[in-house]
Amino acid sequence: MSRRPDPLAQVSDFDIRLLRIFRSVVECGGFSAAENVLGIGRSAISQQMSDLEQRLGLRLCQRGRAGFSLTEEGREVYHSALQMLGAVESFRTEVNGLHRHLRGELNIGLTDNLVTLPHMRITHALAQLKDRGPDVRIQIRMIAPSQVEQGVLDGSLHVGVVPQASPLSGLEYQPLYSERSLLYCAVGHPLFYADDAQLDDARLDAQEAIAPTFRLPAEIQARYQALNCTASASDREGMAFLILTGRYIGYLPDHYATFWVQQGRLRALKAAERFYDLSLSWVTRKGRRPHLVLESFLESLYETR
């Protein structure tokens, strides 16, 4: 029996273009949301996705009244596409680097809610990068710290910023920021108008609280273990949502909470005692290949210290 030829025995420019469109559709969460990003209509996107599915011989996504969702095969193709497109972009960037002109992509993964940090080192470094290379395309993905580290490891991200917890082998960590988190409650919570002098540890620790599901240093995890954590969140924004219900207490970075504090919607509880300081690091892959755009960005980070 003759063996059926592989659907993608040869990858053409057309295939790469279809995979880029597929990546945008997934990251936008559907065809409609991807229209503005891609600059093409929904019907054209649908046709491109059908072409890709036919090329691969796989059903990649479900679309219809129930909304957009990936199939199991679609999720695997998406992750493989990220690695391949990252490799293609790395090749392009390296070749462009031979001309000493900054061109190509910089793919960054960030943990959420760093933009309110007063130092703004990432923002300033990105501005300097665009001054040096106006043609550089910057892609930022706001994802959980573990996904940032995995993206840097598999090459789909060039650099990431994560809380410094236990380092993973294969990655290099360099300190970037230090942020302070305080214990907050919102208006409507029984402790909102309580005097700090009345807030003994037993009373605080009895309140319903929120725990993060992302990795943190052991000494910070101990802070959460002392609380009555009955809810959890994968990121700081999720924690803020729950605290603002007025039903939970929880830790938030002080720079992120400032907006609601100034509005009178949040208050810190015993700020002189209930706090922790967290180091945030930028992370790159060990033994990475030369990448002029990435090195220029990292150089700018050093300059903004």
Side-chain angles (χ1 to χ4, degrees):
M1 180 182 294
S2 61
R3 181 179 179 270
R4 182 186 176 188
D6 293 334
L8 287 185
Q10 293 183 338
V11 179
S12 66
D13 288 343
F14 178 66
D15 297 318
I16 293 175
R17 183 168 66 85
L18 292 180
L19 288 169
R20 289 187 186 279
I21 292 173
F22 176 56
R23 178 182 68 178
S24 295
V25 169
V26 174
E27 293 178 352
C28 290
F31 292 5
S32 298
E35 285 181 287
N36 291 334
V37 173
L38 294 171
I40 57 177
R42 182 175 177 177
S43 60
I45 295 173
S46 180
Q47 182 60 53
Q48 306 271 23
M49 288 298 91
S50 295
D51 290 344
L52 179 59
E53 288 177 332
Q54 186 174 1
R55 289 279 295 160
L56 296 175
L58 296 169
R59 182 72 168 172
L60 299 179
C61 57
Q62 305 290 345
R63 54 264 202 190
R65 292 184 178 180
F68 173 88
S69 63
L70 287 177
T71 63
E72 186 63 31
E73 292 83 1
R75 282 190 287 272
E76 294 184 17
V77 170
Y78 171 66
H79 290 300
S80 296
L82 287 180
Q83 295 180 46
M84 189 199 73
L85 293 174
V88 169
E89 192 52 43
S90 293
F91 172 79
R92 180 181 296 136
T93 301
E94 290 169 22
V95 172
N96 288 337
L98 297 175
H99 302 286
R100 307 308 299 169
H101 178 65
L102 288 180
R103 286 176 292 193
E105 286 185 353
L106 179 68
N107 298 316
I108 311 173
L110 300 179
T111 190
D112 65 316
N113 298 307
L114 298 181
V115 71
T116 51
L117 275 162
H119 316 300
M120 297 185 70
R121 287 183 60 190
I122 297 172
T123 303
H124 294 321
L126 291 173
Q128 290 184 22
L129 178 64
K130 284 297 288 182
D131 288 341
R132 295 176 181 178
D135 295 331
V136 170
R137 296 184 304 279
I138 298 170
Q139 308 281 348
I140 293 181
R141 297 173 60 194
M142 304 299 297
I143 49 181
S146 60
Q147 293 175 296
V148 173
E149 291 171 316
Q150 183 57 48
V152 176
L153 277 172
D154 66 28
S156 60
L157 296 174
H158 298 122
V159 62
V161 177
V162 296
Q164 179 69 70
S166 53
L168 300 182
S169 61
L171 296 178
E172 292 181 352
Y173 298 79
Q174 294 292 333
L176 179 64
Y177 292 120
S178 178
E179 65 176 12
R180 173 158 292 190
S181 288
L182 303 176
L183 186 62
Y184 290 95
C185 73
V187 64
H189 192 278
L191 300 187
F192 189 79
Y193 294 108
D195 188 275
D196 271 356
Q198 302 171 347
L199 297 178
D200 56 47
D201 288 343
R203 188 178 180 190
L204 276 177
D205 295 342
Q207 305 299 314
E208 290 196 75
I210 308 154
T213 58
F214 49 86
R215 291 186 306 125
L216 288 168
E219 63 272 17
I220 294 177
Q221 289 285 9
R223 292 273 182 177
Y224 289 97
Q225 291 167 0
L227 299 175
N228 176 29
C229 292
T230 61
S232 63
S234 63
D235 51 48
R236 281 98 69 89
E237 185 171 358
M239 298 179 76
F241 266 111
L242 289 170
I243 294 170
L244 287 165
T245 66
R247 303 299 184 270
Y248 300 91
I249 63 174
Y251 286 97
L252 290 175
D254 56 3
H255 61 85
Y256 179 50
T258 295
F259 172 77
W260 294 295
V261 171
Q262 291 176 344
Q263 286 189 330
R265 297 179 62 191
L266 284 184
R267 64 156 290 195
L269 301 167
K270 303 191 76 170
E273 302 172 23
R274 293 295 183 118
F275 70 88
Y276 64 78
D277 294 320
L278 176 65
S279 295
L280 294 156
S281 298
W282 57 260
V283 57
T284 54
R285 186 170 54 181
K286 289 181 180 178
R288 63 184 183 275
R289 298 166 68 185
H291 189 296
L292 187 58
V293 173
L294 173 60
E295 302 311 324
S296 296
F297 174 70
L298 297 180
E299 182 181 338
S300 296
L301 278 180
Y302 279 120
E303 291 174 357
T304 58
R305 286 185 173 183

